[in-house]
Amino acid sequence: MRSRTLIAVLAPVALAPFLLAAWWAQRPDEAPWHDDAVADATETVDRIEARFDRDHLYKAEDYAHTAGQEAAVAVLRVDGETHWQTGVTLVLRVTGHGSSVNDWGERVEGTEEVCFRLRLGPKDDDRDDDVDCPAGQPLPVAKDPSLAGLDDRLRRALSGAGPHESKVRAAVAGLKLDPAVRQEVAVEGDTVGVALRASQYDCLLARVGPKGAETWRPSHVQLAPGELSCSAGLALSEQFGHRER
C-alpha cells in the first residue's frame, strides 16, 4: 500500500519534464513581441493609405514611390498601371517594432517583418494584413530629400544677405543642401525670392527685402497638382504668406 502511494506521488513529478516539453512544442513559433510588432507595422500601413487618399494618387509608380518613403517599408511588388483602369496591387514589407513580457517576467523588445497586400481600385480598395512575403529583393525606390528643420536656418542665413541676389545665392549655397533639392532664386525690384523644393508637398519659400528675411511654407492643399507651384515667382507674389486649408 505504501509503495502504491509513493508511485502515485512520484509519477506526476517524473512526467512533468515531458509534459512541459510537449506544451512548449505546441506553442506558436513566434517572438513574444510579435503581436505588438504587427500592430506597429499595421499603423504604418494605415498612415500610408491615408497619404494615398490625401495626395489623390492614382498611378502605380506614385503609390510605390509614396510607400517607399517610409523608412520601415520595402516595396516588394507592384502590379497594374492606374487606379481606375487596371487597378493597382502593392505588396509591402514593413518592419514593426514591438515589446512584451516573456515567460520569466522580463521586458523584451524586437522587430518583425510583416507583409501587406494592398489592392487599389478599379472599383474598391482593400488589403490583406500579415500575408506571406514573396521572395526576391525589394524594388528600388528613390528617397525624397527633406527640408525638415530648415526654416530657421534659412531665415538666419538670409538675414545677413540683404536684398542682394549674389549674397542670397551664396547664403543658400552655404546651407549645403541635398543636391536633390530644387533651388530657385529670382529678383523683382528690391526683393529677392527663394524657393526650395524637396518633393511635391515639401516646399519652403523665402523672400528678402529692405525689411529683412521671412519664410513661408504653403499648405498641403495649396501645393496639390493644379494649384500653386513651389517657385521663386510665388515667393515674390502677393500670395506669399497667404495660407489656405
Side-chain angles (χ1 to χ4, degrees):
M1 186 65 135
R2 185 173 179 181
S3 60
R4 291 182 180 179
T5 303
L6 185 60
I7 292 174
V9 172
L10 293 178
V13 177
L15 290 174
F18 299 99
L19 295 174
L20 181 60
W23 170 78
W24 187 269
Q26 292 177 358
R27 295 185 62 190
D29 185 19
E30 60 185 33
W33 56 76
H34 174 80
D35 291 343
D36 201 32
V38 170
D40 181 55
T42 301
E43 289 181 6
T44 297
V45 178
D46 290 342
R47 186 166 60 250
I48 290 172
E49 288 190 315
R51 187 172 174 183
F52 288 167
D53 292 337
R54 185 186 64 183
D55 293 350
H56 304 291
L57 302 183
Y58 64 93
K59 295 181 180 179
E61 60 265 30
D62 291 339
Y63 286 125
H65 181 79
T66 295
Q69 299 311 302
E70 289 277 349
V73 174
V75 180
L76 298 184
R77 183 175 298 167
V78 183
D79 296 312
E81 297 177 2
T82 63
H83 185 282
W84 66 74
Q85 292 176 321
T86 61
V88 176
T89 299
L90 294 178
V91 178
L92 307 178
R93 186 178 67 209
V94 184
T95 302
H97 181 272
S99 63
S100 184
V101 177
N102 64 19
D103 296 330
W104 296 273
E106 301 168 332
R107 193 72 178 177
V108 291
E109 296 184 3
T111 59
E112 293 272 334
E113 290 185 338
V114 188
C115 281
F116 299 79
R117 183 184 300 107
L118 284 64
R119 290 186 290 272
L120 309 165
K123 293 183 179 180
D124 300 313
D125 297 348
D126 61 12
R127 86 182 194 209
D128 299 317
D129 294 1
D130 203 2
V131 301
D132 292 336
C133 294
Q137 294 298 313
L139 302 178
V141 177
K143 297 291 185 181
D144 290 333
S146 175
L147 301 177
L150 187 62
D151 304 53
D152 289 340
R153 289 179 58 208
L154 178 62
R155 189 182 300 111
R156 288 194 302 268
L158 295 179
S159 294
H164 306 288
E165 181 181 1
S166 60
K167 291 184 179 180
V168 167
R169 290 184 180 277
V172 173
L175 296 173
K176 300 186 182 304
L177 302 175
D178 188 315
V181 173
R182 195 191 71 188
Q183 305 177 25
E184 285 188 14
V185 177
V187 181
E188 186 175 289
D190 59 356
T191 305
V192 181
V194 177
L196 304 177
R197 180 175 179 175
S199 62
Q200 176 72 44
Y201 299 99
D202 194 1
C203 169
L204 177 58
L205 302 178
R207 64 183 179 190
V208 189
K211 295 183 180 180
E214 52 185 330
T215 60
W216 175 55
R217 285 182 180 264
S219 69
H220 190 278
V221 172
Q222 289 172 305
L223 293 171
E227 301 299 326
L228 301 180
S229 62
C230 181
S231 65
L234 178 58
L236 292 168
S237 74
E238 293 182 354
Q239 291 176 299
F240 182 91
H242 179 65
R243 187 161 185 87
E244 295 179 0
R245 296 182 178 178

